[in-house]
Amino acid sequence: MTSNPTPRDHNKASVLEVVLSRAPLTRNEVIELTGLSKATVSRAVEELRADGFVADGGVDAATGRGRRSTYLDVPGTAGHVAGVSFGVLTTCVLVTDLRGREVHHVVVPTANHDDAGDAAEWLAGLIEETAGAGRGPLRQIVVAVPGRVRDGTEIFSPARSMKIFTGSGLHRAVADLVDAPVLLDSDANASLLAILAEDTSIGNAALFNLSSVLNFAGCTGHELARGRTPAFGGIGVLCAGAGQETLDDLMSTRGLLKFARGRGLGLKRVEDLWRGRRDDEAHAEVVAAFTTAIVTATSAVAVTLDPETVYFAGRLCPLVEEVLPEVRSRLGRILPAAPEVKVVTQVVGLSTARGAVFACLALTQERLRDAALGARGRRTEQSTPAF
């Protein structure tokens, strides 16, 4: 970026930001959203057209007398991003253009690897294959993992079967293999991002992802809360309120399955808890303990973060759905103002990858806006972007 961007640079960057986030839209809509004059918007649009970030996207319907307006859109050649859900059981790669429109996605069983380098090579190959359907440069990759992530590079407290990825080795290995910026994030953050993108009215919220590990995410003022220390999000270590069990013991698939087997239930998979017999005492004890854990976790975030809504996502959601009436009843008795509790409907892998895509788009838009402030004199007549 140039050291002293001019007002013209800032105007162009503002128009680019609106087009990337709102396209397709008309010039009049750009004028309304930016507050810039017609002449200023026209000049910026033509510069962005030369840079390869604006193209005509059709004509709006006639609503009266006068000329119809041409829609402005972002061409596919401007680039694409890849959001990845790298889970214990399945991995999904979702590729979209810079407007978030899907180009291609794949969902495959996660390959078992004993080495972070081998896993990175497998993952990078899957990303490269899926992104091959995109046009223009691959501008950003975000990989959501079942564990907490610090600074976008370092994984800690991952699922037991993914302990080999603890630290920054996976990030370094993937970054060395792909020609695009790479960041890691938690599956909980990605899930909450997907919800925030769909509902802009959400202010303060919390989300528990109940899968291979218990993962937590929160937002304040529609922005993800990242915390100041690695302890943030480690809510699974808290007592669940049922015996000596922790929240992670009862709100993760591995922990709950172990607890159920310890109570005499011969379950092969955790799904048998809500698909099999339900008329024995041991089953009732397990469900009661799980219910108490849900109430405890929700109460903990309600009194500390004051969310309007607490969401539950992940593999254990069918069981959450089953106990939700009791959870709401108990929360109403113990809290003066209980938050709304909802179960998120998700497509395995794809929903988390979609949240990772939204993270990609935010990073890409910010980077391109900064680049626009320093792009004077670098415009060409080529169809690919100048930056």
Side-chain angles (χ1 to χ4, degrees), residues 124-141:
L126 187 63
I127 294 170
E128 182 179 6
E129 179 182 352
T130 312
R135 300 165 62 197
L138 177 58
R139 295 190 174 273
Q140 181 70 54
I141 299 167

Side-chain angles (χ1 to χ4, degrees), residues 38-61:
K38 181 178 180 180
T40 298
V41 167
S42 294
R43 180 172 57 244
V45 165
E46 292 313 307
E47 291 183 3
L48 290 169
R49 189 191 301 276
D51 289 331
F53 285 100
V54 170
D56 291 338
V59 180
D60 67 346

Side-chain angles (χ1 to χ4, degrees), residues 188-204:
N189 277 344
S191 293
L192 186 53
L193 272 175
I195 295 171
L196 294 176
E198 295 295 330
D199 188 348
T200 58
S201 69
I202 295 172
N204 301 344

Side-chain angles (χ1 to χ4, degrees), residues 120 152-153 166-178 182 184:
T153 61
T166 301
S168 56
L170 179 68
H171 176 265
R172 290 197 305 268
V174 174
D176 288 342
L177 292 168
V178 297
V182 179
L184 306 181

Side-chain angles (χ1 to χ4, degrees), residues 184-223:
L184 306 181
D185 209 343
S186 73
D187 53 8
N189 277 344
S191 293
L192 186 53
L193 272 175
I195 295 171
L196 294 176
E198 295 295 330
D199 188 348
T200 58
S201 69
I202 295 172
N204 301 344
L207 180 141
F208 292 99
N209 198 72
L210 282 58
S211 291
S212 304
V213 294
L214 170 62
N215 236 344
F216 170 79
C219 69
T220 303
H222 204 71
E223 296 290 332

Side-chain angles (χ1 to χ4, degrees), residues 295-351:
V295 171
T296 300
T298 305
S299 300
V301 299
V303 300
T304 55
L305 300 179
D306 195 25
E308 301 150 8
T309 308
V310 176
Y311 297 95
F312 286 88
R315 194 171 159 195
L316 295 182
C317 274
L319 191 57
V320 179
E321 193 85 63
E322 181 179 314
V323 304
L324 205 50
E326 174 63 17
V327 168
R328 288 171 174 153
S329 175
R330 289 170 61 176
L331 289 172
R333 294 196 299 268
I334 63 178
L335 295 176
E340 185 175 7
V341 182
K342 292 184 177 181
V343 174
V344 180
T345 302
Q346 291 186 311
V347 179
V348 175
L350 185 58
S351 295

